[in-house]
Amino acid sequence: MHKVAIFLVIAAATGCSGGTTKVSTKSAPLEPGEVYWAKNQLAVQTDLPGEARFQNFEIMALSNGDRVYCGEMNAMARSGISEGFVPFYMRRSAGTVKAVNTGADSAEFSAQKCAEARNGALRINKV
């Protein structure tokens, strides 16, 4: 699962998906079913999905119909060591995850993308 996340981070950084487009964003309500789905998608990126914890969870609706999920996740490694709460960023289109960034190695990128989304505009890859 971590290889998928790393590939998506590299694809986002290099723009290998054929360019980017700018979309507007707005805050969306935290519907329980959607929150449950998103947290599960994020948790499976970790060594121990059942141990993942979340805080500051947000959903943003994009003008192209996609959704962005932001917040912080505390993932537990198999060794029992916690990373602490680290920013995450995930984008979905319909039911498909288009980008996911979790973990300390992508924390700065995730924080930047989520700040852009909160400010009302976001540049996304055409994946």
Side-chain angles (χ1 to χ4, degrees), residues 48-72:
L48 299 171
E51 299 298 319
R53 300 294 177 257
F54 298 89
Q55 67 182 21
N56 304 319
F57 194 88
E58 300 176 81
I59 302 174
M60 268 74 70
L62 280 57
S63 59
N64 69 345
D66 289 1
R67 304 283 257 193
V68 164
Y69 306 91
C70 292
E72 297 170 340

Side-chain angles (χ1 to χ4, degrees), residues 12-78:
T14 62
C16 71
S17 61
T20 62
T21 187
K22 191 171 184 177
V23 293
S24 62
T25 63
K26 66 179 180 178
S27 182
L30 296 175
E31 298 292 339
E34 184 177 7
V35 171
Y36 179 80
W37 176 87
K39 286 181 177 180
N40 279 324
Q41 295 299 310
L42 291 158
V44 299
Q45 304 298 315
T46 69
D47 288 340
L48 299 171
E51 299 298 319
R53 300 294 177 257
F54 298 89
Q55 67 182 21
N56 304 319
F57 194 88
E58 300 176 81
I59 302 174
M60 268 74 70
L62 280 57
S63 59
N64 69 345
D66 289 1
R67 304 283 257 193
V68 164
Y69 306 91
C70 292
E72 297 170 340
M73 180 172 66
N74 186 355
M76 187 73 67
R78 290 208 184 278

